Amino acid sequence: PPCTLGSSPMARFRSLLFAAAALAPSQGDLCVSAGGCGLILLFLLARVAANRIRRRHYLTNATLVQRTNAAWATVRDSEDDMAYLEVTGLTCGAFKVLHDKFGPVLRCVWERRKGRADEKRGRKRAMGTRDVLGLTLAYMHMVSRGVSLQLIFARAPATLSRYLWDGIHVLAVTLEAMPEARVRWPTEEEMSEWASLVERRQPSLKGCFGFVDGLNLPVQEPADPFLQNAYYNGWLGGCFVSQLFVFNPLGEIIWAHLNAPGSHHDSTLAQELYRKLTCLPPGYNLAADCAFSAQGEAQYHLVKPLTSAQLRAHSEDRTVDVQKLIAIIRRHRTAVSIRQAAEWGMGTFQRVWQRFQLPLPWDKRKRLLLLKVGVRLHNFRTRMVGLNQIRTVYAAEYEGALYETYRHTHFQTVRNNVFF
């Protein structure tokens, strides 16, 4: 009788075995059937192995180099600024400053786990605190698949994933307690200082101490159609999360609204910022684009370029004399020019911490954790390394000695390798 084959390879083998036994009435036929079943068994085992390779393949410790010969071990021991910048986004000095705070916290977390059943005792850990920090920064800094990190750090996927999320959680706690990474609204004295930096570059603009703009980052699409609709951005054609950043002339983030659904408009996210603007001292303002439509007192603290309709209305207004029209156009051009600083800030954030160019996790807690780490890492790098386009344009004298040393070393290396 015909046999029904199961869906799994073992079910198929059992069905074929029973069919062969049913077709073997004599002892001789049974021997032949047993031999045929053996061939069938070998064939099915080969199919199982092929399916396993096709469905799941990964690196193992046996296929990786020794940990002492890993690429990260060479970079870590070299203490070369350019190598550290390429892998972690920080110079060697900034990495050491961060590790001095990061290492004790991570060791404390490991000590607390020693009593847990899933934590093995007496075995040396696969990664030290410097390795975990390097892995976490490389994950944030580089656009790469997991296999690239496995090759750089010479660790298997399970080990790498466990240490990576340990590092992200500990780095979030560490950066939150560090003044170099803090996100803080300025005092009136700082506003005055920053406004003078902007005025030095744009003499016609008085009292502008920062630049505000929104940033949409891609996110994994949820299965729930209602949530997908909330995060869908029709202008960009995909699921996104919206952020709002305020940068100062030093390139630092001084205010942020994170992890909002991508369908929300920038002006909707800025409601809390508008309340802050109403409390500003007279004469201070932020540079924004036309999307920010503040009402009441807050509108007097935003410097925005005019829309095309507003420009046309001013040009067609016969009651406006030529000198006033020229002043309006100059102020409009100044507002357009100053807006470029916010774009530099967004570009620096995404180009340095390239993890935010990839879709963020759908889990909102993991996503918020990554965003907070990214924002504080941006401030830490800006203050400790100094490589920031806004700072270079508006506050070149604030660049640290470490950045000057790096720039001298870098360009000296370039000169030594260029032949004229």
Side-chain angles (χ1 to χ4, degrees), residues 177-238:
M178 295 184 68
E180 298 88 349
R182 196 165 297 164
V183 178
R184 182 178 56 83
W185 190 254
T187 62
E188 186 173 352
E189 292 76 12
E190 290 172 328
M191 291 181 190
S192 176
E193 180 183 357
W194 297 344
S196 64
L197 295 177
V198 176
E199 187 177 350
R200 190 180 308 169
R201 184 77 178 180
Q202 301 285 353
S204 62
L205 195 58
K206 309 293 183 181
C208 181
F209 67 92
F211 326 98
V212 58
D213 200 5
L215 176 65
N216 292 307
L217 298 175
V219 67
Q220 296 172 353
E221 295 185 3
D224 189 339
F226 295 100
L227 290 176
Q228 188 177 101
N229 181 65
Y231 283 84
Y232 185 81
N233 187 303
W235 183 47
L236 298 174

Side-chain angles (χ1 to χ4, degrees), residues 83-233:
Y84 268 78
L85 278 168
E86 190 67 24
V87 177
T88 67
L90 302 177
T91 57
C92 183
F95 183 89
K96 289 180 178 179
V97 170
L98 184 56
H99 178 260
D100 289 342
K101 304 292 185 181
F102 176 89
V105 180
L106 183 59
R107 281 191 290 269
C108 181
V109 171
W110 286 344
E111 287 295 328
R112 290 184 178 182
R113 286 184 180 174
K114 281 189 175 180
R116 291 172 50 177
D118 60 346
E119 191 73 15
K120 296 181 180 179
R121 299 183 181 183
R123 180 182 296 180
K124 185 179 179 181
R125 291 192 173 275
M127 301 184 74
T129 55
R130 291 181 64 189
D131 300 329
V132 175
L133 179 58
L135 169 65
T136 307
L137 293 174
Y139 173 78
M140 299 294 295
H141 176 62
M142 302 168 63
V143 177
S144 59
R145 296 174 55 209
V147 66
S148 301
L149 293 176
Q150 294 162 28
L151 293 172
I152 293 172
F153 290 86
R155 300 295 189 275
T159 304
L160 205 71
S161 177
R162 183 172 67 252
Y163 282 105
L164 173 61
W165 283 103
D166 281 353
I168 290 175
H169 283 89
V170 172
L171 185 59
V173 175
T174 303
L175 290 172
E176 188 175 3
M178 295 184 68
E180 298 88 349
R182 196 165 297 164
V183 178
R184 182 178 56 83
W185 190 254
T187 62
E188 186 173 352
E189 292 76 12
E190 290 172 328
M191 291 181 190
S192 176
E193 180 183 357
W194 297 344
S196 64
L197 295 177
V198 176
E199 187 177 350
R200 190 180 308 169
R201 184 77 178 180
Q202 301 285 353
S204 62
L205 195 58
K206 309 293 183 181
C208 181
F209 67 92
F211 326 98
V212 58
D213 200 5
L215 176 65
N216 292 307
L217 298 175
V219 67
Q220 296 172 353
E221 295 185 3
D224 189 339
F226 295 100
L227 290 176
Q228 188 177 101
N229 181 65
Y231 283 84
Y232 185 81
N233 187 303

Side-chain angles (χ1 to χ4, degrees), residues 349-391:
F349 180 77
Q350 285 189 288
R351 283 195 301 271
V352 175
W353 310 114
Q354 300 179 31
R355 178 65 185 82
F356 298 108
Q357 296 180 14
L358 303 175
L360 294 171
W362 171 243
D363 187 336
K364 61 181 180 181
R365 290 175 295 182
K366 285 186 177 181
R367 188 170 66 240
L368 182 60
L369 179 67
L370 289 175
L371 288 168
K372 286 183 176 180
V373 169
V375 168
R376 292 192 172 107
L377 277 175
H378 173 88
N379 279 357
F380 180 82
R381 184 180 189 270
T382 301
R383 289 163 180 157
M384 297 299 298
V385 180
L387 291 174
N388 189 289
Q389 182 67 26
I390 300 177
R391 178 184 290 257

Side-chain angles (χ1 to χ4, degrees), residues 17 19-40:
L17 184 62
L23 295 176
S26 63
Q27 187 72 20
D29 292 340
L30 184 60
C31 295
V32 173
S33 300
C37 290
L39 293 176
I40 293 173

